[in-house]
Amino acid sequence: MLQTPHQSPQAAATIPVQRTPERDDQAGPWHAEAVCRRDEAGLFFAPSKEPTAARLSREQAAKRVCARCPVLVECREHALVMPEPYGVWGGLTAAERRVVLTRRRKTASAGQPTTEVSRIA
């Protein structure tokens, strides 16, 4: 991952490598269409020791980017299936994804069909 001009080498080292599987269709990888590819990666991943107010502000900014993304659903599902432990993916933070995964497990164990992920934020 490239380091942005205003990002310290330490911050670049804390950004995890993103795993991006390809879609099954002929359109190519879903992430090629992601709006976030044109944004700073630091917006989606927390630097170490980030203050809470800064984290909340950064996450809201990342979610605004996600809200206009044509591959939001694919990104969210990728983050839930992998599962991605860090960052904002598909408009959900890591904590929000853990809630969704817990709900899915409870639904599956109750024998109910799993439904589309509801908007948490």
Side-chain angles (χ1 to χ4, degrees):
M1 182 165 296
L2 296 176
Q3 181 178 340
T4 58
H6 56 288
Q7 191 176 32
S8 70
Q10 292 83 11
T14 62
I15 298 173
V17 175
Q18 298 180 28
R19 297 177 298 248
T20 49
E22 293 193 11
R23 289 193 282 183
D24 292 333
D25 62 19
Q26 297 295 335
W30 62 265
H31 52 86
E33 299 172 42
V35 174
C36 63
R37 291 181 64 84
R38 296 180 289 277
D39 286 295
E40 178 182 330
L43 185 63
F44 298 90
F45 296 95
S48 60
K49 300 180 183 175
E50 181 179 35
T52 301
R55 177 182 55 82
L56 294 173
S57 177
R58 180 189 47 75
E59 288 174 347
Q60 287 305 317
K63 288 179 178 188
R64 285 192 297 274
V65 172
C66 292
R68 66 178 197 268
C69 186
V71 293
L72 179 135
V73 173
E74 291 91 336
C75 179
R76 181 178 292 175
E77 280 305 309
H78 160 82
L80 292 166
V81 169
M82 288 312 284
E84 291 291 349
Y86 307 105
V88 175
W89 289 78
L92 299 177
T93 65
E96 291 166 338
R97 290 192 304 276
R98 285 190 295 273
V99 170
V100 171
L101 289 171
T102 299
R103 287 180 184 164
R104 283 186 177 185
R105 282 191 286 273
K106 287 180 181 178
T107 300
S109 67
Q112 299 172 355
T114 313
T115 59
E116 188 70 27
V117 177
S118 60
R119 183 169 168 87
I120 292 178

